[in-house]
Amino acid sequence: MSEPVFRFAPSPNGHLHLGHALSALLNARAAVALQGRFLVRVEDIDQTRCTPDLERDMFEDLEWLGVPLDEPVLRQSEAFPLYRNALERLQDLGVVYPAYLTRAEIKRFVADYEKDGAVWPRDPDGAPIYPGDDAVLSPKEQQDRAQSDAAFALRLNMKAALARIETPLTWQEYGAEGPALFHAPKPVPVDALAWGDVVLARKDTPTSYHLSVVVDDARQGITDVLRGQDLYAATSVHRVLQSLLGLPEPRYRHHRLILGEDGRKLSKSNQDTSLRSLREAGISHADLRRRIGL
C-alpha cells in the first residue's frame, strides 16, 4: 500500500472553530497512526470573502493546536486553469449544460409547485433539485438568455453522466478515529441521482466545491479523505466526477460533528466557538480536547 496522505482543507473566509479543530486533529492523528503525511489545502476560490489576514489567522490557530503540517501547502486560487481543464473535459463528454434559472426563479417555482400540498424533491443538503430551465422558461426566453449577458451555471447532467459510466459505483468507507482506522472498509453504493444536476461552475466562478475537491485531491495525491459527516452524501457526486475524469478513488472516512447548543453544526459566524475567541478566553489544549471528545 502506498504511503497514506491525509489533508485538511479549510476556507479562510472566517475564523476556525471547534469543528475545524476536531477535523484537523483527527487528520493529523490518523496520519501518525498510519505512518503517513498530513497536508493542508487552502480553499480560497471565493476571493472576496477569503482574505490574506484570515489565512494568516488560520495558520496561527493551526500552530496553536500543535498540528504538524507537511509541505506543500496548496491554494485553490492558484489552480483555476486546472479546474477549467477538468470542466472542458466534462463538456467534451457531453455531460455539462448551461442553466439560466436564478435562485429566485427556482424558489418561486418550488413554492408554486408546493402550494397545494405537493412536495418538490430536495437533495441531501435540503436544497431543491434543479427543475430544469424548461420548467420555467419558454424556448425563446432560454435563447434570449443564452445570447445575452445573463448569469448562468454550468451543471452536470447527472443522468447522462451515470449513463456514460454504466457500471454501478461505490466508495469504500473506513473508520475515522481510534481502532476503527484499521478496520475493514464498508462499501457504500453511490446515490448520485439524489443530488440532481449539481453546479460545476458559474459564469463568474470557475469551479464549484464538487469539481475542485476531486481535482485537488488528485493533484495532492490524497489517499485518505477524512472529513465531517455532513459531507458523507456528497461523496456520491465526487465518485461520479472521479470516474468521468479518470481520477483515483481515495479511501473515505467521515467523522462525527461538533454541534452547537441549538443542535446544528458549527458555523464560522458563531464567534463563541472560534478558536481565537477560546484562546483569548484562556482555554488550554487539554480543555479544548476534552470539549471535542479527544
Side-chain angles (χ1 to χ4, degrees), residues 83-145:
Y83 308 138
R84 191 174 300 113
N85 177 264
L87 184 61
E88 289 172 354
R89 290 168 60 192
L90 294 171
Q91 290 172 313
D92 289 343
L93 292 176
V95 296
V96 177
Y97 66 91
Y100 291 96
L101 292 185
T102 66
R103 291 181 176 90
E105 287 171 330
I106 297 170
K107 185 176 180 179
R108 283 197 301 271
F109 169 82
V110 173
D112 289 342
Y113 182 91
E114 296 184 334
K115 64 183 179 182
D116 294 324
V119 179
W120 186 256
R122 262 74 171 174
D123 69 24
D125 282 343
I129 296 292
Y130 191 69
D133 290 357
D134 291 345
V136 176
L137 303 176
S138 68
K140 184 178 185 309
E141 288 173 319
Q142 293 180 52
Q143 183 179 27
D144 288 346
R145 292 195 187 187

Side-chain angles (χ1 to χ4, degrees), residues 206-220:
T207 186
S208 67
Y209 169 74
H210 293 306
L211 181 60
S212 61
V213 73
V214 298
V215 172
D216 290 339
D217 285 340
R219 72 187 178 112
Q220 277 192 295

Side-chain angles (χ1 to χ4, degrees), residues 20 26 73 132 179 200 221 255 290:
H20 294 110
L26 286 178
V73 173
L200 298 179
H255 64 71
R290 279 194 293 271

Side-chain angles (χ1 to χ4, degrees), residues 30 36 74 86 113 145 197 204 251:
L74 296 187
Y113 182 91
R145 292 195 187 187
D197 295 349
D204 55 354
R251 295 178 285 264

Side-chain angles (χ1 to χ4, degrees), residues 6-280:
F6 290 79
R7 50 79 163 169
F8 177 59
S11 295
N13 56 10
H15 287 129
L16 299 184
H17 53 58
L18 287 172
H20 294 110
L22 175 65
S23 194
L25 289 169
L26 286 178
N27 272 280
R29 286 187 175 191
V32 171
L34 297 174
Q35 300 181 348
R37 302 174 65 212
F38 173 49
L39 303 176
V40 167
R41 177 164 73 232
V42 180
E43 296 196 341
D44 60 348
I45 291 171
D46 187 341
Q47 294 286 278
T48 301
R49 297 175 61 207
C50 298
T51 68
D53 287 346
L54 286 172
E55 181 177 324
R56 182 202 62 224
D57 291 349
M58 180 184 78
F59 281 106
E60 285 181 1
D61 287 340
L62 290 176
E63 183 178 3
W64 178 77
L65 281 175
V67 175
L69 307 180
D70 293 320
E71 294 291 338
V73 173
L74 296 187
R75 289 171 177 79
Q76 289 184 332
S77 58
E78 300 169 354
F80 287 166
L82 296 179
Y83 308 138
R84 191 174 300 113
N85 177 264
L87 184 61
E88 289 172 354
R89 290 168 60 192
L90 294 171
Q91 290 172 313
D92 289 343
L93 292 176
V95 296
V96 177
Y97 66 91
Y100 291 96
L101 292 185
T102 66
R103 291 181 176 90
E105 287 171 330
I106 297 170
K107 185 176 180 179
R108 283 197 301 271
F109 169 82
V110 173
D112 289 342
Y113 182 91
E114 296 184 334
K115 64 183 179 182
D116 294 324
V119 179
W120 186 256
R122 262 74 171 174
D123 69 24
D125 282 343
I129 296 292
Y130 191 69
D133 290 357
D134 291 345
V136 176
L137 303 176
S138 68
K140 184 178 185 309
E141 288 173 319
Q142 293 180 52
Q143 183 179 27
D144 288 346
R145 292 195 187 187
Q147 294 175 347
S148 72
D149 195 36
F152 61 86
L154 292 173
R155 290 182 176 268
L156 178 67
N157 185 326
M158 191 63 77
K159 289 183 179 179
L162 293 173
R164 287 197 68 92
I165 296 170
E166 296 181 346
T167 56
L169 291 174
T170 62
W171 81 80
Q172 300 299 312
E173 182 71 21
Y174 288 71
E177 55 184 303
L181 285 171
F182 305 93
H183 292 172
K186 178 183 72 172
V188 181
V190 160
D191 184 16
L193 288 176
W195 287 93
D197 295 349
V198 297
V199 172
L200 298 179
R202 297 187 185 276
K203 177 185 177 182
D204 55 354
T205 308
T207 186
S208 67
Y209 169 74
H210 293 306
L211 181 60
S212 61
V213 73
V214 298
V215 172
D216 290 339
D217 285 340
R219 72 187 178 112
Q220 277 192 295
I222 302 302
T223 64
D224 291 75
V225 173
L226 200 169
R227 59 191 180 187
Q229 190 69 29
D230 53 323
L231 291 169
Y232 181 89
T235 311
S236 287
V237 177
H238 304 162
R239 287 293 296 117
V240 170
L241 292 173
Q242 288 160 355
S243 181
L244 291 171
L245 293 168
L247 301 177
E249 174 192 355
R251 295 178 285 264
Y252 284 96
R253 307 168 186 271
H254 291 88
H255 64 71
R256 56 192 167 84
L257 299 178
I258 303 295
L259 303 179
E261 293 181 359
D262 58 0
R264 299 180 181 181
K265 72 172 187 174
L266 299 182
S267 165
K268 287 175 180 171
S269 62
N270 295 346
Q271 295 300 318
D272 59 329
T273 62
S274 77
L275 297 187
R276 297 188 80 76
S277 297
L278 294 169
R279 285 166 54 192
E280 291 170 0

